[in-house]
Amino acid sequence: MGTGDAAVQWLCSGSLDARRCAVSSSYSGVTSPGIYQWWRALDVRWPTAAMRHVCSKVLVNQAVLGPANCAMFLCWSHCATGLWSAGGLDAVEVQTRLPTLAFEAAERIRSDVPDLALKAMGVWMPVHLVTFRFVPPHLRILYTSCVSVLWGGYLSYVAHSRR
C-alpha cells in the first residue's frame, strides 16, 4: 500500500508526504498476518487447487474480505491521518478527535465502499484465481503485495481525494 500511495502522491502533486506513506504502509503491516490466516482458513475449507475449490475460495474471499478491506483501509487512513495531522497522538487529543474522525470515516465508508467493492472485484477476482490455483500458500502475501502496489495506489487516491 505504501509504495502505491507514494507513486500516487508523486504523480498527482510531484511531492511526497512521509506521514501519509507511513499510514498506508502501516495498514499493510497490520492486516497482512490476518489476511494470511484468512486464506489458510479458506484452504482448510476448500483444500485443493481444483477449479471448483478455487472458485469457491475466490468468491467467498471477495464477498467477505473485499468490502471489509476497503472499509478498513478508508477508516484507518482517515483516522490515522486525522490524528497525526492534528498534532500527534496525545491521549487527550485522541479522545477529543477520535469520535469526529470515526463519524467522518463512517460517512466515507457508506459513500465509497459500494463502488470500491465493485472495482475490487474486477481487480482481485482474476488475481485470486491465480493466487489460489497456482501460488503456494507461503508465497501468496508476496504475490498479492505486488498487485497491492497498484490497488493501494488507487485506494490511497480515493481515500485522500476529498481532503
Side-chain angles (χ1 to χ4, degrees), residues 3-103:
T3 304
D5 175 57
V8 164
Q9 287 185 57
W10 188 257
L11 290 171
C12 290
S13 69
S15 64
L16 192 65
D17 178 346
R19 286 182 178 183
R20 181 173 145 178
C21 286
V23 168
S24 294
S25 296
S26 63
Y27 178 79
S28 295
V30 168
T31 59
S32 291
I35 291 170
Y36 177 77
Q37 293 303 318
W38 166 251
W39 289 343
R40 287 188 64 192
L42 293 177
D43 285 337
V44 168
R45 175 66 182 92
W46 296 287
T48 73
M51 281 309 288
R52 182 173 58 105
H53 283 192
V54 169
C55 289
S56 296
K57 286 189 253 191
V58 168
L59 291 173
V60 169
N61 184 68
Q62 202 56 49
V64 175
L65 193 59
N69 194 40
C70 292
M72 289 185 305
F73 180 78
L74 288 175
C75 184
W76 179 278
S77 178
H78 185 78
C79 291
T81 302
L83 289 172
W84 205 336
S85 65
L89 296 176
D90 172 89
V92 173
E93 199 156 1
V94 168
Q95 259 185 328
T96 304
R97 295 262 309 133
L98 196 55
T100 301
L101 290 169
F103 177 78

Side-chain angles (χ1 to χ4, degrees), residues 105-129:
E107 289 298 313
R108 288 295 306 268
I109 289 166
R110 274 192 282 283
S111 69
D112 292 350
V113 166
D115 183 55
L116 282 174
L118 287 174
K119 289 176 179 166
M121 282 186 213
V123 172
W124 290 108
M125 289 180 82
V127 168
H128 287 314
L129 282 170

